[in-house]
Amino acid sequence: MNKNISLFQVSAFIKPPFFLLLLVFFSVNFSFAAMPNQQFDAGNKEYRFGNYEKAIVAYEKLVKDGYRSSTLFYNLGNAYYKENNYAKSILNYERALKLNPQDEDILFNLRLANMNTVDKIEPIPRLFYEQWWDNFISTFSSDSWSKYGIAGCWLTLLFVGLYLFSNTVFLKKTGFFSTVICGFIAGMLLFAGRLQHQSAYDQKAGIIIETSAYIKSSPEEKSTNLFMLHAGTKIEVVDELQGWKKIKIANGNIGWISNNDMEMI
Protein backbone atom coordinates (compact mmCIF):
# COMPACT_ATOMS: atom_id res chain seq x y z
CA MET A 1 0.00 0.00 0.00
CA ASN A 2 1.33 3.44 -0.87
CA LYS A 3 2.49 5.68 1.95
CA ASN A 4 1.74 9.41 1.95
CA ILE A 5 4.19 12.01 3.26
CA SER A 6 2.01 12.85 6.26
CA LEU A 7 1.98 12.55 10.03
CA PHE A 8 -0.04 9.36 9.98
CA GLN A 9 0.67 7.09 7.04
CA VAL A 10 -1.76 4.78 5.28
CA SER A 11 -0.66 1.24 6.10
CA ALA A 12 -1.88 -2.05 7.45
CA PHE A 13 0.27 -4.14 9.70
CA ILE A 14 0.34 -6.46 12.72
CA LYS A 15 1.16 -5.04 16.14
CA PRO A 16 2.28 -8.05 18.24
CA PRO A 17 1.03 -10.07 19.82
CA PHE A 18 -2.61 -10.42 18.82
CA PHE A 19 -4.20 -7.83 16.60
CA LEU A 20 -4.30 -6.15 13.21
CA LEU A 21 -4.34 -2.37 13.07
CA LEU A 22 -5.18 -0.02 10.25
CA LEU A 23 -3.52 3.40 10.23
CA VAL A 24 -5.19 6.08 8.16
CA PHE A 25 -4.26 9.63 7.30
CA PHE A 26 -4.54 11.84 10.41
CA SER A 27 -6.23 9.10 12.42
CA VAL A 28 -5.36 6.84 15.32
CA ASN A 29 -5.53 3.11 15.96
CA PHE A 30 -8.90 2.03 17.30
CA SER A 31 -8.22 -1.48 18.55
CA PHE A 32 -6.57 -2.50 21.79
CA ALA A 33 -6.29 -5.55 24.01
CA ALA A 34 -6.10 -6.13 27.76
CA MET A 35 -7.31 -2.61 28.58
CA PRO A 36 -10.66 -1.11 29.67
CA ASN A 37 -12.43 -0.71 26.34
CA GLN A 38 -14.71 2.05 27.57
CA GLN A 39 -11.86 4.32 28.63
CA PHE A 40 -9.82 3.66 25.49
CA ASP A 41 -12.85 4.12 23.23
CA ALA A 42 -13.62 7.40 24.98
CA GLY A 43 -10.16 8.68 24.10
CA ASN A 44 -10.52 7.51 20.50
CA LYS A 45 -13.92 9.17 20.20
CA GLU A 46 -12.61 12.50 21.48
CA TYR A 47 -9.70 12.27 19.04
CA ARG A 48 -12.02 11.61 16.09
CA PHE A 49 -14.00 14.76 16.92
CA GLY A 50 -10.86 16.85 17.31
CA ASN A 51 -11.11 17.15 21.09
CA TYR A 52 -7.44 16.40 21.59
CA GLU A 53 -7.20 17.70 25.16
CA LYS A 54 -10.00 15.36 26.26
CA ALA A 55 -8.40 12.50 24.34
CA ILE A 56 -5.15 13.15 26.20
CA VAL A 57 -6.97 13.04 29.55
CA ALA A 58 -8.54 9.68 28.66
CA TYR A 59 -5.28 8.14 27.45
CA GLU A 60 -3.24 9.53 30.35
CA LYS A 61 -5.65 7.99 32.84
CA LEU A 62 -4.93 4.58 31.36
CA VAL A 63 -1.19 5.22 31.61
CA LYS A 64 -1.62 6.35 35.23
CA ASP A 65 -3.55 3.15 35.94
CA GLY A 66 -0.56 1.12 34.77
CA TYR A 67 -1.52 0.09 31.24
CA ARG A 68 1.34 -0.16 28.74
CA SER A 69 0.93 -0.68 25.01
CA SER A 70 2.64 0.66 21.91
CA THR A 71 -0.84 1.48 20.59
CA LEU A 72 -1.80 3.48 23.68
CA PHE A 73 1.46 5.46 23.70
CA TYR A 74 1.27 5.96 19.92
CA ASN A 75 -2.25 7.40 20.14
CA LEU A 76 -1.25 9.58 23.07
CA GLY A 77 1.74 10.85 21.12
CA ASN A 78 -0.53 11.68 18.20
CA ALA A 79 -2.89 13.65 20.43
CA TYR A 80 -0.02 15.63 21.95
CA TYR A 81 1.35 16.32 18.46
CA LYS A 82 -2.02 17.77 17.46
CA GLU A 83 -1.79 20.08 20.48
CA ASN A 84 1.72 21.16 19.38
CA ASN A 85 3.17 19.69 22.58
CA TYR A 86 6.13 18.15 20.81
CA ALA A 87 8.03 17.21 23.97
CA LYS A 88 5.18 15.04 25.29
CA SER A 89 4.61 13.75 21.76
CA ILE A 90 8.24 12.62 21.51
CA LEU A 91 8.07 11.14 25.02
CA ASN A 92 5.14 8.91 24.11
CA TYR A 93 6.47 7.95 20.67
CA GLU A 94 9.68 6.86 22.41
CA ARG A 95 7.64 4.79 24.88
CA ALA A 96 5.73 3.19 22.03
CA LEU A 97 8.98 2.47 20.21
CA LYS A 98 10.43 0.63 23.21
CA LEU A 99 7.51 -1.80 23.04
CA ASN A 100 7.44 -2.07 19.24
CA PRO A 101 10.93 -1.10 18.04
CA GLN A 102 10.52 -1.71 14.29
CA ASP A 103 7.14 -0.06 13.77
CA GLU A 104 7.57 2.20 10.73
CA ASP A 105 4.69 4.49 11.63
CA ILE A 106 6.02 5.18 15.12
CA LEU A 107 9.50 5.80 13.69
CA PHE A 108 8.13 8.13 11.02
CA ASN A 109 6.04 10.18 13.47
CA LEU A 110 8.93 10.36 15.93
CA ARG A 111 11.18 11.78 13.21
CA LEU A 112 8.57 14.41 12.37
CA ALA A 113 8.14 15.39 16.01
CA ASN A 114 11.92 15.65 16.46
CA MET A 115 12.05 18.14 13.59
CA ASN A 116 10.28 20.59 15.90
CA THR A 117 12.91 20.48 18.66
CA VAL A 118 15.49 23.22 19.24
CA ASP A 119 18.53 21.14 20.16
CA LYS A 120 20.30 19.41 17.27
CA ILE A 121 22.98 17.38 19.01
CA GLU A 122 25.55 15.45 17.00
CA PRO A 123 25.97 12.00 18.58
CA ILE A 124 29.35 10.41 19.24
CA PRO A 125 30.04 7.82 16.48
CA ARG A 126 29.51 4.27 17.70
CA LEU A 127 31.56 1.20 16.88
CA PHE A 128 30.02 -0.73 14.01
CA TYR A 129 29.48 -3.92 16.04
CA GLU A 130 27.66 -2.00 18.80
CA GLN A 131 25.32 -0.47 16.24
CA TRP A 132 24.84 -3.85 14.55
CA TRP A 133 24.00 -5.55 17.83
CA ASP A 134 21.46 -2.90 18.86
CA ASN A 135 19.82 -3.10 15.43
CA PHE A 136 19.69 -6.89 15.69
CA ILE A 137 18.07 -6.87 19.14
CA SER A 138 15.53 -4.30 17.93
CA THR A 139 14.50 -6.38 14.93
CA PHE A 140 11.54 -7.82 16.85
CA SER A 141 9.61 -7.11 20.02
CA SER A 142 10.32 -9.19 23.13
CA ASP A 143 7.08 -11.13 22.51
CA SER A 144 8.19 -12.11 19.02
CA TRP A 145 11.71 -13.08 20.13
CA SER A 146 10.20 -15.25 22.87
CA LYS A 147 7.80 -16.97 20.48
CA TYR A 148 10.61 -17.81 18.07
CA GLY A 149 12.74 -19.03 20.98
CA ILE A 150 9.99 -21.32 22.28
CA ALA A 151 9.46 -22.68 18.77
CA GLY A 152 13.20 -23.38 18.64
CA CYS A 153 12.99 -25.24 21.95
CA TRP A 154 10.22 -27.49 20.63
CA LEU A 155 12.25 -28.19 17.51
CA THR A 156 15.25 -29.02 19.70
CA LEU A 157 13.15 -31.53 21.66
CA LEU A 158 12.09 -33.19 18.40
CA PHE A 159 15.73 -33.68 17.44
CA VAL A 160 16.47 -35.01 20.94
CA GLY A 161 13.79 -37.61 20.33
CA LEU A 162 15.32 -38.43 16.96
CA TYR A 163 18.70 -38.96 18.62
CA LEU A 164 17.34 -41.11 21.47
CA PHE A 165 15.00 -43.35 19.55
CA SER A 166 16.65 -43.76 16.13
CA ASN A 167 17.97 -47.18 15.18
CA THR A 168 20.59 -46.05 12.67
CA VAL A 169 23.90 -44.28 13.17
CA PHE A 170 23.08 -41.73 10.48
CA LEU A 171 19.82 -40.67 12.15
CA LYS A 172 21.46 -40.56 15.57
CA LYS A 173 24.22 -38.28 14.24
CA THR A 174 21.63 -36.13 12.49
CA GLY A 175 19.61 -35.87 15.71
CA PHE A 176 22.67 -35.05 17.82
CA PHE A 177 24.10 -32.29 15.64
CA SER A 178 20.64 -30.85 14.93
CA THR A 179 19.95 -30.78 18.68
CA VAL A 180 23.15 -28.82 19.32
CA ILE A 181 22.50 -26.34 16.51
CA CYS A 182 18.80 -25.80 17.28
CA GLY A 183 19.49 -25.58 21.02
CA PHE A 184 22.07 -22.87 20.43
CA ILE A 185 19.76 -20.91 18.13
CA ALA A 186 16.82 -21.24 20.56
CA GLY A 187 19.01 -20.00 23.40
CA MET A 188 20.12 -16.99 21.35
CA LEU A 189 16.51 -16.16 20.48
CA LEU A 190 15.41 -16.33 24.11
CA PHE A 191 18.43 -14.24 25.15
CA ALA A 192 17.54 -11.61 22.55
CA GLY A 193 13.98 -11.57 23.89
CA ARG A 194 15.26 -11.02 27.42
CA LEU A 195 17.47 -8.12 26.32
CA GLN A 196 14.63 -6.53 24.36
CA HIS A 197 12.31 -6.91 27.36
CA GLN A 198 14.89 -5.22 29.59
CA SER A 199 15.24 -2.42 27.05
CA ALA A 200 11.46 -1.92 27.02
CA TYR A 201 11.03 -1.75 30.80
CA ASP A 202 14.33 -0.40 32.14
CA GLN A 203 14.08 3.35 32.59
CA LYS A 204 17.48 4.69 31.57
CA ALA A 205 16.43 7.49 29.24
CA GLY A 206 14.20 10.53 29.44
CA ILE A 207 12.86 13.56 27.58
CA ILE A 208 13.18 17.25 28.56
CA ILE A 209 9.60 18.51 29.01
CA GLU A 210 10.28 22.08 30.14
CA THR A 211 10.68 24.75 27.47
CA SER A 212 14.30 25.15 28.58
CA ALA A 213 16.35 23.72 31.42
CA TYR A 214 19.83 24.46 32.74
CA ILE A 215 22.09 21.48 33.21
CA LYS A 216 24.03 21.92 36.46
CA SER A 217 27.52 20.93 37.58
CA SER A 218 26.13 19.29 40.74
CA PRO A 219 22.69 18.27 42.10
CA GLU A 220 21.77 21.63 43.65
CA GLU A 221 20.06 24.74 42.36
CA LYS A 222 22.95 27.09 43.20
CA SER A 223 25.57 25.08 41.31
CA THR A 224 27.15 26.24 38.05
CA ASN A 225 25.12 26.20 34.84
CA LEU A 226 26.98 24.00 32.35
CA PHE A 227 24.67 24.23 29.36
CA MET A 228 21.00 24.50 28.45
CA LEU A 229 18.67 21.92 26.92
CA HIS A 230 15.22 22.48 25.43
CA ALA A 231 11.92 20.63 25.30
CA GLY A 232 11.95 17.36 23.40
CA THR A 233 15.65 16.56 23.79
CA LYS A 234 16.40 12.94 24.65
CA ILE A 235 18.80 12.28 27.52
CA GLU A 236 20.44 9.24 29.10
CA VAL A 237 20.13 8.94 32.88
CA VAL A 238 23.29 7.64 34.56
CA ASP A 239 22.60 8.43 38.24
CA GLU A 240 20.12 10.17 40.55
CA LEU A 241 20.19 11.89 43.93
CA GLN A 242 17.47 13.63 45.96
CA GLY A 243 15.26 15.02 43.20
CA TRP A 244 18.07 15.34 40.67
CA LYS A 245 19.29 13.13 37.85
CA LYS A 246 22.75 12.94 36.41
CA ILE A 247 22.37 12.85 32.64
CA LYS A 248 24.42 12.32 29.53
CA ILE A 249 23.48 13.61 26.09
CA ALA A 250 24.34 12.22 22.67
CA ASN A 251 27.55 14.23 22.28
CA GLY A 252 28.91 12.96 25.60
CA ASN A 253 28.29 16.05 27.78
CA ILE A 254 27.28 15.26 31.36
CA GLY A 255 25.48 17.23 34.07
CA TRP A 256 22.63 17.29 36.58
CA ILE A 257 19.00 18.19 35.96
CA SER A 258 15.99 18.59 38.24
CA ASN A 259 13.42 15.81 38.10
CA ASN A 260 10.79 18.47 37.43
CA ASP A 261 12.36 19.36 34.07
CA MET A 262 12.21 15.90 32.50
CA GLU A 263 10.22 12.66 32.34
CA MET A 264 11.48 9.13 32.05
CA ILE A 265 10.64 7.20 28.87
Side-chain angles (χ1 to χ4, degrees):
M1 184 176 294
N2 294 332
K3 290 182 178 290
N4 298 319
I5 305 301
S6 58
L7 177 59
F8 307 113
Q9 306 168 66
V10 179
S11 63
F13 59 96
I14 298 292
K15 279 187 181 289
F18 301 118
F19 40 84
L20 177 67
L21 299 171
L22 179 65
L23 298 179
V24 294
F25 181 78
F26 278 85
S27 67
V28 293
N29 306 318
F30 298 117
S31 56
F32 191 62
M35 185 168 61
N37 290 331
Q38 184 176 2
Q39 183 71 24
F40 190 64
D41 289 344
N44 292 338
K45 180 179 179 181
E46 297 295 350
Y47 188 98
R48 282 196 299 267
F49 286 103
N51 301 322
Y52 305 119
E53 289 186 7
K54 292 182 178 179
I56 289 170
V57 171
Y59 294 142
E60 286 285 14
K61 184 178 186 306
L62 290 169
V63 174
K64 184 179 180 180
D65 290 341
Y67 294 100
R68 291 175 58 87
S69 163
S70 62
T71 308
L72 172 60
F73 290 132
Y74 178 80
N75 288 1
L76 183 54
N78 292 345
Y80 273 120
Y81 191 99
K82 286 289 198 174
E83 286 290 293
N84 297 322
N85 189 335
Y86 301 116
K88 287 293 188 76
S89 177
I90 291 169
L91 174 68
N92 284 282
Y93 287 147
E94 289 280 3
R95 288 172 173 172
L97 198 62
K98 288 179 69 174
L99 298 175
N100 199 353
Q102 291 299 317
D103 187 291
E104 293 182 359
D105 299 277
I106 298 172
L107 288 166
F108 183 82
N109 288 1
L110 177 59
R111 285 194 295 269
L112 285 183
N114 276 320
M115 292 173 63
N116 294 280
T117 60
V118 174
D119 300 321
K120 309 300 179 185
I121 302 170
E122 287 293 328
I124 297 175
R126 303 182 63 194
L127 297 175
F128 75 93
Y129 60 84
E130 293 178 332
Q131 187 64 53
W132 178 88
W133 179 250
D134 287 346
N135 291 339
F136 173 72
I137 295 300
S138 298
T139 302
F140 302 107
S141 67
S142 58
D143 284 342
S144 297
W145 279 122
S146 299
K147 288 178 182 178
Y148 297 143
I150 292 171
C153 289
W154 281 109
L155 188 59
T156 301
L157 289 176
L158 289 176
F159 284 121
V160 169
L162 179 65
Y163 170 75
L164 293 176
F165 301 110
S166 296
N167 296 320
T168 67
V169 174
F170 173 76
L171 289 179
K172 280 186 173 295
K173 286 184 176 180
T174 301
F176 175 78
F177 287 110
S178 297
T179 296
V180 172
I181 294 171
C182 285
F184 175 77
I185 293 174
M188 288 296 294
L189 293 171
L190 292 173
F191 180 65
R194 181 173 179 273
L195 291 179
Q196 182 60 23
H197 183 271
Q198 288 178 337
S199 175
Y201 289 91
D202 287 351
Q203 291 192 325
K204 295 182 178 179
I207 300 295
I208 305 294
I209 58 171
E210 287 296 314
T211 303
S212 61
Y214 281 111
I215 309 305
K216 303 284 188 174
S217 60
S218 61
E220 54 185 356
E221 194 63 43
K222 295 181 180 179
S223 62
T224 304
N225 296 329
L226 298 179
F227 53 93
M228 177 181 286
L229 295 178
H230 299 84
T233 301
K234 187 176 181 179
I235 55 179
E236 177 186 355
V237 176
V238 296
D239 198 2
E240 56 183 306
L241 179 66
Q242 298 178 347
W244 293 78
K245 285 185 171 60
K246 188 176 183 180
I247 65 164
K248 182 179 181 180
I249 58 177
N251 63 8
N253 288 342
I254 293 176
W256 291 86
I257 187 173
S258 170
N259 289 348
N260 297 327
D261 295 331
M262 51 87 65
E263 282 193 36
M264 300 299 293
I265 295 175

